[in-house]
Amino acid sequence: MSEHRRKPPQPQGGGRAAARRGQSGSSSGRRAAPRGATGSPSDSYGSDSYGSGGEERSYGGRAEARRAAQRSTGGGRRRAAEPARGGRRAAPGGPAGPGRGRGRAAAYSDKKRLIDYPRAGKYGWQRWMPSWKLVSGLCIGFVGSLVAVAGIGYAMVGVPNEENAAALSQNNVYYWSNGQQMVATGSGQNRQNVTIDRIPEAMQQAVISAENKSFYKDSGVDPMGIARALANMARGGDTQGGSTITQQFVKNTYLSQDQTITRKFKEMFISIKVGTKLSKDEILQGYLNTSYYGRGAYGIQAAAQTYYGKDAVKLEPSECAFLAALLKGPTYYDPAGNESLDTAASAEANEKRSRARWGWILEQMHNDDKLTDAEYQKAIKRYPMPQGRKATKGMSGQIGYLADTAKKYVLNHSNITEKQFDQGGYQIRTTFEKSKVEALAKAVKKVEKEKLNPEKRELDKHVQFGAASVKPKDGAIVALYGGAGYEKGHFNNNADTSGVPVGSTWKPFVLAAAMEHGTYRSDGPLSPLSKYNGNDHLKVRNNDGSYVLKKDNTPFFQENESDHPWGYITLRKAMEQSVNTPFVQLGMDVGMRNVRDVAEKSGILDASFATLNPSFALGTSTPSAIRMADAYATFAAAGKQAAPYSVTSVKFNGQEVEGFDKPRITQAMPENVANNVTDTLENVIQNGTGKNALALGRTAAGKTGTTDENKSAWFVGYTRQLSTSVAMFREDPKSAKLLSMNGTAGEESIHGGDTPTQVWTEYMKAALEGEPDLGFPEAEKIGEIQHELGAPSPKPTPSVEPSETVTESPSATPSESPTPASPSPSDTCGFFGCENDGGTENGGGTGGEPSSSPSPSDTSENGGNSRGNGNGGIFGGPAG
């Protein structure tokens, strides 16, 4: 770099500023520091000076001064204390003296800090390692803060003077769809407090041994339990398990059931105060009097009366252990079951859980020396099975089933627990129409009276009906029939239960899947005029042409109800006469998964589906009457589907509860597919197995269904305004297994086209009285005609030569009759024109035939031997 661009050298000794300081020092008369007092290198090492009174340059600029000051921070004081070279002592102020060598950083390092972090005088990781003083100080401060917060909370939270509304007697009020009151029911008339001396010692000890062994020793709170509950709450999990008996008493008596951190802290502080104000006996008495035992019973006295029909004071130790087990959760520990709320709460499953916990509680009481050996052996000897459910005031007739359905809907569409709901205070407006409910019950009673005589015919005993009526394109349940009534001891809601196979009423879903998806051989939708072999006892083919085999590797044969030789008939004709074999093979060709998907989109719940084998096409699934009515409503609404609902609004103490808007409407299937299904089902009533429905006197569509061994019979039908399903079955009251109806009502067998169709017609007449006949949308032709593999080619003239069949069968050669000039009574007429398939009115499958042959999985019972083996209710479970 050239000289003229270089920075001129600075004056020695600090430049002008130093000169000014020197002049100032001279003028003030101060003496210069002795040589060596400044701690400069020239002092120590004898460096050259720049003049007699001059000052040497100790550092190379401001940056160097700062670095030197930083280097001097840690060890400056030690060096300052050392004598300077030549025997001179350093001046006070450190090695740099008062000059620039020490700098601001050095001065700052000597200043005391309240919190020495990062630590001064330390380097590397030691600089960031807190001292023991800092750690202990923070711990003391944290603990002190907690004590202060606890003290403030304890002082601010007081014990409420009155019990909360949830602990007081209240009713739930149900309303009809028009706003008129249906029934008021709840805990208001099923609660009675008793004093501790009226509560058996065994009951007291059962609760303590099961829930809070340290009850008489603890302060009323469990810190570890609270910590677990708060941790679970933060993770969004279950908050149970964090409460002592005292805390549960406080929650039941003074607080809401909300699972919040605020409520948990209040519970803790109030529990501590309650523990100091009330005796342990008073707390235990309050807990047993406010706890919920199920079946609407609050308190030990109401529970004793509800389950054993006696006062609490008379309870035996074994019965006390049973009631204590209910406190774990009555929905799942009441042996009577509660499938209306959750299918996991079946009577069988509940009894198993109850027996296990009952035995465990007795064992704990024995281990805690609360039962002697003799008392324990006596108590454990026999499980104290409680009484069955009883109808509460106002819950007779169909009202109990209506309230049950609405309650289930509320619990499945809100965060309200069963315990909270049963504490009362809710106003529930339903979709039920009183006139239609009464009309449906009247129709069932009329047909029962005409057809059944249990006093004279053994096979007429234990016959039951279930029915439901739904608005298409809306989903509102306007009526249902759940059974004989709570007052008759029938607590299962037959309209919203599972376990009753639907039989041939399932076939419309198979046809809809074929018209929407086609078969593995077609390029698109299949026409209902496609022909399939309708003969009896046929083998069923897989898509690769092989035969379906049973578990023993022998061919599976599909049966019809009769051996009538139908030959190759159209799917429309097969639906009309409810012939099995065409729909089983069609289901295999379409794919049972596609059939299942169409049914699910139409409104059938996932949990109610049976195994996907050939018999699936014949209705081995077990949806409820509500779900079947809703699924057929999808056909009535030209493919538009709305989930069934029974509640339009819920209020709690007058305040609206969110979550009860109408279900969203979706397009479940193409409009023309639904309309073609409707056209086919119209023909079932006009010319087929559903002819008894012609008595309705208006345009309607529907399908009959009968299951294996005649264990159930269905009719599901609809108009544009209303879709209704009716199920009929016999049930063993002890095992809940379905019984055959062969011989019932004095008939050889019961078909869906008989008694169920008669109930449907009687009800629909009354329900639609005064309503216009809207008819159905006109269906347009759909799909290509593609006959089953092996079907004979069309010929211009009738032929007496045998047609090719899929498998060998006794009637493999169908007879063909000449085409008549005009339709005969057995002809099928629709928008396609009239056809004659050579069948007769009394041909196979009248009334909806069952599959009497075993399925490939050897499930010849079609999955319908007992009720409750599926999850076919309206809400599913989880219910619901």
Side-chain angles (χ1 to χ4, degrees), residues 585-759:
Q585 188 58 60
L586 177 65
M588 296 297 293
D589 292 350
V590 173
M592 294 300 178
R593 171 60 62 178
N594 285 330
V595 175
R596 185 189 189 281
D597 290 345
V598 167
E600 186 172 19
K601 289 178 181 178
S602 299
I604 304 299
L605 292 178
D606 177 78
S608 64
F609 289 115
T611 304
L612 299 184
N613 57 32
S615 295
F616 181 78
L618 300 181
T620 54
S621 298
T622 59
S624 68
I626 292 175
R627 283 287 171 174
M628 283 301 288
D630 183 66
Y632 270 51
T634 303
F635 299 138
K640 292 181 174 60
Q641 206 281 326
Y645 67 102
S646 58
V647 174
T648 58
S649 71
V650 176
K651 294 182 178 180
F652 179 64
N653 291 331
Q655 298 297 315
E656 196 79 30
V657 178
E658 295 182 355
F660 296 97
D661 297 328
K662 281 187 177 184
R664 186 171 60 91
I665 297 174
T666 61
Q667 190 72 38
M669 65 183 69
E671 184 175 327
N672 198 37
V673 168
N675 291 342
N676 271 274
V677 171
T678 294
D679 183 83
T680 304
L681 297 186
E682 275 190 88
N683 184 60
V684 171
I685 292 178
Q686 293 166 0
N687 301 299
T689 59
K691 277 188 174 182
N692 283 333
L694 287 173
L696 177 61
R698 64 172 66 222
T699 306
K703 183 68 186 75
T704 58
T706 306
T707 58
D708 186 53
E709 296 184 20
N710 205 206
K711 290 182 177 179
S712 63
W714 288 73
F715 184 76
V716 188
Y718 54 91
T719 66
R720 288 276 291 276
Q721 299 101 322
L722 215 53
S723 176
T724 303
S725 65
V726 178
M728 178 182 178
F729 55 92
R730 286 184 71 221
E731 181 183 63
D732 185 334
K734 294 182 179 180
S735 65
K737 289 188 176 181
L738 297 182
L739 305 173
S740 175
M741 290 190 292
N742 290 332
T744 296
E747 302 287 344
E748 183 178 348
S749 62
I750 297 293
H751 294 98
D754 301 329
T755 306
T757 303
Q758 188 175 343
V759 172

Side-chain angles (χ1 to χ4, degrees), residues 859-873:
T859 55
S860 61
E861 301 297 337
N862 287 339
N865 280 339
S866 62
R867 297 174 61 199
N869 63 347
N871 191 5

Side-chain angles (χ1 to χ4, degrees), residues 66-397:
R66 284 196 297 271
R67 286 193 293 272
Q70 290 172 357
R71 287 193 297 269
S72 69
T73 300
R77 297 185 182 186
R78 179 180 57 80
R79 291 194 299 271
E82 294 177 357
R85 291 176 182 266
R88 297 175 183 172
R89 299 183 62 85
R100 295 184 58 176
R102 182 166 178 83
R104 297 179 182 177
Y108 176 77
S109 68
D110 288 342
K111 187 177 181 180
K112 294 290 185 179
R113 290 184 292 170
L114 180 63
I115 298 178
D116 184 22
Y117 192 82
R119 297 176 66 185
K122 300 293 183 180
Y123 300 95
W125 64 269
Q126 291 181 330
R127 179 172 173 80
W128 302 101
M129 179 65 68
S131 65
W132 68 269
K133 292 181 180 180
L134 178 61
V135 173
S136 58
L138 291 176
C139 289
I140 293 173
F142 178 73
V143 173
S145 299
L146 288 181
V147 172
V149 170
I152 294 172
Y154 184 81
M156 293 182 64
V157 177
V159 179
N161 295 323
E162 298 179 354
E163 295 177 337
N164 64 7
L168 301 176
S169 299
Q170 293 190 79
N171 283 327
N172 290 323
V173 183
Y174 296 85
Y175 298 90
W176 296 104
S177 62
N178 62 4
Q180 294 181 349
Q181 182 172 316
M182 178 195 303
V183 65
T185 184
S187 62
Q189 300 171 11
N190 199 16
R191 181 174 180 227
Q192 181 182 350
N193 291 339
V194 291
T195 56
I196 194 71
D197 60 296
R198 302 288 294 173
I199 301 175
E201 183 73 19
M203 186 67 211
Q204 301 175 41
Q205 297 302 333
V207 172
I208 292 173
S209 293
E211 299 188 25
N212 188 188
K213 289 180 181 292
S214 63
F215 172 68
Y216 281 106
K217 299 177 182 178
D218 61 41
S219 62
V221 295
D222 177 11
M224 293 303 296
I226 292 174
R228 286 194 303 271
L230 291 176
N232 288 340
M233 210 178 295
R235 293 194 299 265
D238 186 10
T239 60
Q240 300 300 316
S243 296
T244 62
I245 286 177
T246 303
Q247 288 174 264
Q248 294 180 62
F249 163 64
V250 167
K251 181 176 64 175
N252 291 344
T253 308
Y254 301 114
L255 300 174
S256 70
Q257 302 297 313
D258 297 336
Q259 300 292 352
T260 62
I261 294 178
T262 301
R263 202 273 297 155
K264 204 69 182 174
F265 273 113
K266 285 184 178 180
E267 175 189 301
M268 179 178 65
F269 291 130
I270 295 176
S271 297
I272 295 173
K273 287 193 172 183
V274 166
T276 62
K277 291 184 177 182
L278 301 180
S279 68
K280 290 292 185 178
D281 283 349
E282 288 175 318
I283 293 172
L284 185 59
Q285 170 186 299
Y287 172 61
L288 292 172
N289 278 326
T290 57
S291 293
Y292 182 60
Y293 296 82
R295 300 191 190 181
Y298 281 85
I300 186 60
Q301 175 65 12
Q305 288 289 348
T306 298
Y307 288 93
Y308 294 109
K310 60 172 71 174
D311 291 334
V313 71
K314 297 180 181 179
L315 290 170
E316 299 291 332
S318 182
E319 295 168 337
C320 292
F322 168 83
L323 294 176
L326 290 174
L327 297 176
K328 181 76 172 175
T331 299
Y332 302 99
Y333 288 86
D334 182 354
N338 206 341
E339 285 187 273
S340 63
L341 295 182
D342 191 341
T343 52
S346 65
E348 182 180 357
N350 278 16
E351 182 177 338
K352 184 178 180 180
R353 281 188 286 261
S354 176
R355 283 179 179 271
R357 187 160 179 82
W358 163 78
W360 178 81
I361 290 175
L362 288 175
E363 183 182 10
Q364 294 301 307
M365 294 172 68
H366 183 231
N367 294 342
D368 295 340
D369 297 326
K370 304 305 179 183
L371 288 177
T372 65
D373 291 344
E375 289 172 334
Y376 173 70
Q377 292 300 327
K378 180 181 178 182
I380 201 70
K381 187 176 182 180
R382 184 181 65 86
Y383 176 74
M385 182 64 73
Q387 300 174 349
R389 282 197 176 96
K390 300 174 183 176
T392 57
K393 184 179 179 181
M395 300 290 277
S396 58

